[in-house]
Amino acid sequence: EPEVTQTPSHQVTQMGQEVILRCVPISNHLYFYWYRQILGQKVEFLVSFYNNEISEKSEIFDDQFSVERPDGSNFTLKIRSTKLEDSAMYFCASRGSRPQETQYFGPGTRLLVL
Amino acid sequence: AQSVTQLGSHVSVSEGALVLLRCNYSSSVPPYLFWYVQYPNQGLQLLLKYTTGATLVKGINGFEAEFKKSETSFHLTKPSAHMSDAAEYFCAVSDVRNTPLVFGKGTRLSVIA
């Protein structure tokens, strides 16, 4: 069964460093998402991406964040200058063309900013 | 704006007992409703979803949920809990406008032997 994959599974970084989280969505999906979950809290939407551009973003997704689909398979989330409060589990998700289709989530990248 | 309220951050049931996890939503348009499960140190797995049609939805692992528009609810049930059901359960809402998923705070289910 097709699945969303994410790398790395864990990332530890120093405050102020740049990190890139990588995702490979399901191959025929058209909509891509990043969510995050701070430890013990609910899953929060960051950004959605369709047709090579951001379609929607939340208040969390400020200028420190960017997304890119550098090739036909990868979808990346970059945090330019990490802060302590960026420590969280970051989930990538993808879905097909219709709104009622399921968003499939990857296993997540646990980011720890020291 | 859409929102989801999950009553009870932690629910504990005995093995074999009924599982009932509550979810109420707010949406200005007909909602799409989802239940996801998260096992420790894992990602989110879809249990079931409601988009249109039959309001009683059956999912994986014996779970089901019923969409009740009049009560703005989408409670998750399972007749008989199993130890392997212990996990965090998230209710989420979206809709036909392609809005991103809005999640509830989650309910941690513990199953006691």
Side-chain angles (χ1 to χ4, degrees):
Chain A
E1 183 177 323
E3 60 182 14
V4 177
T5 59
Q6 291 184 241
T7 55
S9 58
H10 293 79
Q11 174 111 33
V12 181
T13 190
Q14 296 293 322
M15 189 169 55
Q17 295 296 304
E18 174 184 286
V19 295
I20 297 177
L21 309 184
R22 291 181 168 81
C23 169
V24 178
I26 293 173
S27 62
N28 62 343
H29 283 183
L30 300 177
Y31 290 83
F32 314 117
Y33 305 84
W34 284 101
Y35 293 83
R36 79 172 185 189
Q37 183 183 30
I38 294 172
L39 188 64
Q41 299 186 24
K42 66 178 177 179
V43 178
E44 301 173 290
F45 166 72
L46 292 178
V47 65
S48 58
F49 192 87
Y50 170 72
N51 199 25
N52 287 319
E53 61 183 25
I54 291 174
S55 50
E56 191 167 349
K57 60 183 180 179
S58 72
E59 292 178 352
I60 303 168
F61 194 87
D62 61 23
D63 291 343
Q64 293 297 318
F65 291 90
S66 62
V67 289
E68 191 178 30
R69 189 157 162 81
D71 52 43
S73 59
N74 290 283
F75 179 50
T76 62
L77 174 69
K78 182 193 289 186
I79 309 175
R80 290 189 182 82
S81 179
T82 50
K83 306 182 189 116
L84 296 177
E85 55 264 36
D86 293 328
S87 296
M89 180 74 94
Y90 288 80
F91 292 108
C92 173
S94 70
R95 71 163 174 85
S97 58
R98 296 175 302 166
Q100 64 266 42
E101 292 189 38
T102 300
Q103 283 187 33
Y104 289 92
F105 283 76
T109 294
R110 185 170 295 283
L111 176 66
L112 178 60
V113 182
L114 301 177
Chain B
Q2 294 173 317
S3 67
V4 172
T5 301
Q6 290 185 242
L7 289 176
S9 59
H10 186 205
V11 170
S12 186
V13 300
S14 298
E15 192 174 19
L18 171 72
V19 175
L20 170 60
L21 305 182
R22 299 179 186 274
C23 172
N24 289 90
Y25 69 90
S26 172
S27 178
S28 59
V29 298
Y32 294 161
L33 295 159
F34 306 81
W35 275 100
Y36 283 85
V37 61
Q38 185 180 32
Y39 297 102
N41 300 313
Q42 294 189 27
L44 298 166
Q45 180 183 7
L46 182 73
L47 272 180
L48 50 79
K49 67 179 181 182
Y50 167 81
T51 55
T52 58
T55 56
L56 181 62
V57 180
K58 294 186 185 300
I60 61 172
N61 301 336
F63 285 94
E64 62 182 38
E66 185 171 12
F67 168 58
K68 291 188 177 180
K69 183 178 177 181
S70 61
E71 298 178 9
T72 61
S73 69
F74 191 58
H75 301 330
L76 182 70
T77 60
K78 181 174 180 177
S80 177
H82 192 272
M83 297 297 288
S84 61
D85 295 327
E88 188 93 18
Y89 291 81
F90 292 95
C91 182
V93 64
S94 179
D95 62 51
V96 71
R97 300 170 299 177
N98 283 332
T99 54
L101 290 172
V102 173
F103 285 85
K105 291 186 176 181
T107 298
R108 181 170 301 279
L109 176 66
S110 298
V111 182
I112 304 167

